[in-house]
Amino acid sequence: MKFKFYLVLLIIWIEMGCQPQPEVDSEVITTDLMVVGGGASGFTAAIQAARLGKKVLVLEETPWLGGMLTSAGVSAIDGNHRLPGGLWGEFRQKLYDHYGGPGSLATGWVSNTLFEPHVGHEVISEMIAAEENITVKHGWYLQEAIVKNNQLTGAIFENSLGQKLEVNAIVSIDATEYGDLMAMSGADYFIGLDPRSRTEESLAPQEGLNYIQDLTYVAILKDYGQGTDRTIEEPEDYNPDIFLCACADLCADTTVTLSCEQMLDYGKLPNDKYMINWPNEGNDYYTNSLEMTHEERREAFEEAKLFTLQFVYFIQNELGYKHLGLADDEFDTPDLMPYIPYHRESRRLDGLVMFTVNDMLYPYRNELYKTGIAVGDYPLDHHRDKNPAIIEITFPSVPSFTIPWGVMIPKSINGLIVAEKSISVSSLANGSTRLQPVVMLIGQAAGATAALAIDSEVPVQMVLVREVQEILLENDNWLLPFVDIQPDSSYFDAIQRIGASGVIKGDGVPEAWANRTYIYPDSIMSTDEIKEGLQVALKKNEFLKDTSVFEFIDTLNTNSVENLHRLLQQIDTELPTPDTPGFSVSGNDPLDRKTFALLVDAYLDPFNGIKLTE
């Protein structure tokens, strides 16, 4: 009887195998720009390119755009509070409008801007919906890059139903959390701590180490009111001893001084919610998933999520905050946890240039600052306590900094721009460049670069950096982080252009968690400073053939506006007066830096290297 039963099963199986199987649904889309990953840089890249008239397709794995801002729940902005440029400033203003002003967002002590993740998602969705040139597809996982003769021409995606999607694009931007498109395209990249020989950073280890920063699976807790009990079920492998010194209340170590209430207030959000993203004996977790498959990552991240749930249970059960439960109005997930973990470090591109700690410490040691496209002011901050290797690094204080354009551009693969945390930056410098506003601004610059490449029909490597920078200035971006002059000043663009030309230089000052670079726009210039600046401004101009200009510079003995104007008239007798409210070239008013920048920018245009006719 058993033999007959198995024989019947065999016949059925053979017959089923002979029947034609349904074809897997597939679709092909052609677009100007493909943005893979709708995270912090992906959505800003899409908006900027769309506003420049390009058709943009964004493909995002999760149900939300925003990445670490929203899907990962890291809704406390780190850095750039006094540098609210471009789309980062636009995003923040919409948060202000929603909550009722800056004070409504200063709810926790880790940041000046804290918000509920779902509100960030709504704001980004509103910004995207306003751009008719953007199409967004959620739930698609990158499977394969399409590369022909070192040219990335598109990619193939798959969703949870097994459906396939092929996208063909003129230019693509890798805005994934892990640098997946970059890796699949064949671009060179690095993982882990760089060896000193690669970066020339004195802080770097002699030998490279394959360890990235810790990640965090954030949780959002909500206050359900005193007397309620929202304690979750005890998680598997729960051990309270792991978390005892997350705060002082239960810790025997007297050097731990923050109370547990202070720990919670660290990430307090509007509407009595709490972002649980605590590094000190909290829910940081180590796994290096960069080279894993999609399914392997899911398994690794479940372990990270379990660790955070253990910490949540510790807060509720051991510390007594039973009324703080997982927020039921944030993430549409079965466990109420975010869609993805917060990944601090990705694969890093081997790009046209690499931005290192040395470039942050000495911003004028080379020409990289002249190609700045995004600014940041956050210190070097690494999370490595959960790494298997003991890595002790004493980071120096750094001033605010500018990210050079070349970090987004691969050396050999055409048609690809790299954004998010996968730019060409040393592992150490990544501690400052990984923060949300910087990544958003990098995305905006990537979108501008893509649009210019498409319009000019040139490889992304051939895009003119100055054209990218002009677009950014038109959108109220800082090229250099001169904190003492804002985009609403009529002198802002001139100072940015003159600064990026090396004609005048700023003064970098490390200041704790919000570093500064000052240009001192109202400072009166000495004659020596004027002479030095003019020498730089005229360096690339054909007018240098007339040595009388330099002879005239040497005769300057007063630092007045009128004197400078007289000098500039030696170069061109038909100079117009800059169209700036309240500005005049008459009289002997002392010459300050902002007026000097305005005149030199208008008349000599060193930013674009205009050659003057003799």
Side-chain angles (χ1 to χ4, degrees):
M1 292 296 293
K2 288 184 179 180
F3 173 76
K4 290 182 179 180
F5 174 75
Y6 287 119
L7 180 61
V8 170
L9 286 180
L10 178 62
I11 292 171
I12 294 172
W13 178 77
I14 292 173
E15 288 182 349
M16 288 181 63
C18 294
Q19 297 298 319
Q21 299 299 309
E23 294 184 4
V24 176
D25 292 338
S26 61
E27 183 182 4
V28 178
I29 297 177
T30 298
T31 187
D32 294 333
L33 174 62
M34 175 178 71
V35 180
V36 184
S41 66
F43 91 88
T44 56
I47 290 173
Q48 182 59 74
R51 289 178 180 177
L52 292 171
K54 302 288 117 13
K55 295 293 185 182
V56 184
L57 176 63
V58 181
L59 298 115
E60 165 58 29
E61 295 182 5
T62 74
W64 288 3
L65 298 181
M68 56 180 165
L69 291 163
T70 57
S71 293
V74 191
S75 55
I77 298 295
D78 291 309
N80 284 39
H81 180 63
R82 293 180 63 182
L83 297 168
L87 287 169
W88 146 233
E90 188 175 327
F91 172 74
R92 189 180 74 170
Q93 184 58 53
K94 288 184 179 294
L95 291 175
Y96 286 172
D97 295 343
H98 177 88
Y99 283 105
S104 301
L105 280 75
T107 48
W109 56 265
V110 70
S111 172
N112 294 289
T113 305
L114 299 100
F115 56 95
E116 297 160 280
H118 81 273
V119 172
H121 158 63
E122 291 169 1
V123 166
I124 293 171
S125 297
E126 175 188 328
M127 294 172 71
I128 291 289
E131 307 299 332
E132 62 180 15
N133 285 330
I134 298 177
T135 300
V136 179
K137 286 186 171 291
H138 292 278
W140 291 94
Y141 303 91
L142 180 65
Q143 294 292 309
E144 179 184 347
I146 303 173
V147 180
K148 300 174 183 177
N149 299 321
N150 282 338
Q151 175 80 28
L152 178 66
T153 62
I156 296 173
F157 301 82
E158 185 175 344
N159 64 14
S160 60
L161 300 177
Q163 297 169 321
K164 299 286 186 179
L165 173 64
E166 179 180 328
V167 179
N168 299 308
I170 301 171
V171 175
S172 300
I173 294 176
D174 185 342
T176 64
E177 296 291 322
Y178 318 105
D180 289 338
L181 181 62
M182 171 184 72
M184 290 184 187
S185 71
D188 294 327
Y189 60 88
F190 305 112
I191 293 177
L193 279 164
D194 304 283
R196 192 174 303 174
S197 59
R198 179 185 297 155
T199 66
E200 300 180 356
E201 296 165 315
S202 60
L203 304 173
Q206 291 289 354
E207 303 293 332
L209 296 171
N210 188 30
Y211 293 109
I212 61 175
Q213 290 194 60
D214 303 336
L215 60 77
T216 304
Y217 216 115
V218 172
I220 304 297
L221 301 185
K222 176 181 175 180
D223 189 343
Y224 287 89
Q226 291 291 339
T228 61
D229 187 349
R230 306 293 294 202
T231 306
I232 62 175
E233 183 179 345
E234 180 176 320
E236 182 182 352
D237 300 326
Y238 173 66
N239 179 4
D241 295 345
I242 297 173
F243 309 112
L244 286 178
C245 287
C247 49
D249 296 25
L250 301 180
C251 182
D253 184 351
T254 56
T255 63
V256 178
T257 58
L258 283 178
S259 70
C260 296
E261 184 175 353
Q262 288 174 310
M263 176 193 73
L264 290 171
D265 285 344
Y266 164 90
K268 187 173 183 179
L269 308 179
N271 294 320
D272 295 321
K273 293 178 183 175
Y274 298 84
M275 177 192 70
I276 306 302
N277 176 22
W278 186 246
N280 303 324
E281 305 298 329
N283 57 324
D284 279 7
Y285 184 86
Y286 185 76
T287 183
N288 188 341
S289 62
L290 298 181
E291 301 283 59
M292 292 181 181
T293 66
H294 174 66
E295 288 303 319
E296 289 170 339
R297 285 175 185 164
R298 287 172 65 98
E299 293 179 12
F301 297 158
E302 284 299 315
E303 293 297 316
K305 185 191 295 184
L306 174 63
F307 190 71
T308 289
L309 289 172
Q310 292 170 354
F311 188 46
V312 168
Y313 186 75
F314 173 83
I315 292 170
Q316 296 172 323
N317 196 61
E318 313 300 336
L319 300 183
Y321 292 94
K322 297 180 182 297
H323 58 291
L324 300 185
L326 292 167
D328 57 4
D329 53 355
E330 289 294 337
F331 307 104
D332 185 19
T333 54
D335 54 14
L336 304 180
M337 292 289 282
Y339 299 107
I340 58 173
Y342 172 36
H343 223 89
R344 293 183 175 86
E345 187 172 339
S346 177
R347 300 179 177 101
R348 293 170 292 105
L349 174 70
D350 182 12
L352 293 183
V353 300
M354 175 180 275
F355 185 66
T356 70
V357 171
N358 295 338
D359 301 315
M360 301 172 73
L361 287 171
Y362 308 104
Y364 299 111
R365 76 184 187 116
N366 53 39
E367 300 288 287
L368 291 183
Y369 74 92
K370 294 183 178 181
T371 65
I373 46 84
V375 297
D377 62 11
Y378 206 73
L380 291 161
D381 179 34
H382 279 230
H383 290 232
R384 295 188 178 274
D385 291 344
K386 301 297 177 66
N387 277 212
I390 299 175
I391 303 169
E392 294 184 2
I393 305 171
T394 301
F395 288 106
S397 298
V398 296
S400 51
F401 53 88
T402 185
I403 305 290
W405 175 81
V407 300
M408 305 185 297
I409 311 301
K411 292 178 178 177
S412 57
I413 299 297
N414 297 321
L416 173 65
I417 301 169
V418 178
E420 202 64 23
K421 294 179 279 278
S422 298
I423 58 172
S424 182
V425 60
S426 72
S427 177
L428 295 179
N430 166 262
S432 293
T433 64
R434 65 180 171 82
L435 283 311
Q436 304 103 316
V438 180
V439 172
M440 294 168 73
L441 296 172
I442 290 169
Q444 186 167 6
T449 301
L452 288 169
I454 294 167
D455 282 340
S456 304
E457 298 183 347
V458 299
V460 293
Q461 292 87 346
M462 299 297 293
V463 169
L464 298 177
V465 178
R466 290 302 195 218
E467 292 187 5
V468 177
Q469 292 175 314
E470 288 287 12
I471 290 173
L472 297 177
L473 285 176
E474 290 170 5
N475 288 274
D476 292 340
N477 284 268
W478 273 265
L479 307 181
L480 292 166
F482 302 144
V483 73
D484 46 355
I485 187 163
Q486 298 288 311
D488 59 359
S489 167
S490 56
Y491 295 88
F492 178 82
D493 286 4
I495 283 183
Q496 288 291 311
R497 284 193 288 261
I498 294 304
S501 305
V503 175
I504 55 176
K505 295 179 179 178
D507 180 22
V509 182
E511 293 186 15
W513 292 93
N515 301 297
R516 302 280 186 264
T517 300
Y518 298 95
I519 196 65
Y520 308 116
D522 297 317
S523 176
I524 303 302
M525 297 182 72
S526 69
T527 54
D528 287 342
E529 288 177 313
I530 295 170
K531 292 174 184 179
E532 181 181 351
L534 289 174
Q535 295 276 4
V536 174
L538 289 165
K539 187 185 300 182
K540 294 183 179 180
N541 289 305
E542 288 293 329
F543 196 78
L544 277 174
K545 294 176 181 177
D546 186 348
T547 57
S548 65
V549 173
F550 291 98
E551 293 172 1
F552 188 88
I553 291 175
D554 288 336
T555 67
L556 277 175
N557 54 22
T558 62
N559 58 344
S560 70
V561 176
E562 186 175 31
N563 241 6
L564 177 62
H565 193 254
R566 283 177 54 220
L567 169 63
L568 296 172
Q569 284 183 319
Q570 297 290 314
I571 300 172
D572 187 343
T573 58
E574 298 181 359
L575 292 177
T577 299
D579 184 19
T580 300
F583 177 78
S584 172
V585 296
S586 62
N588 288 310
D589 293 336
L591 183 66
D592 58 32
R593 288 164 73 85
K594 67 178 185 296
T595 306
F596 176 81
L598 189 72
L599 287 168
V600 171
D601 177 57
Y603 298 155
L604 302 183
D605 193 18
F607 186 72
N608 292 301
I610 299 298
K611 293 184 178 181
L612 304 178
T613 56
E614 295 184 39

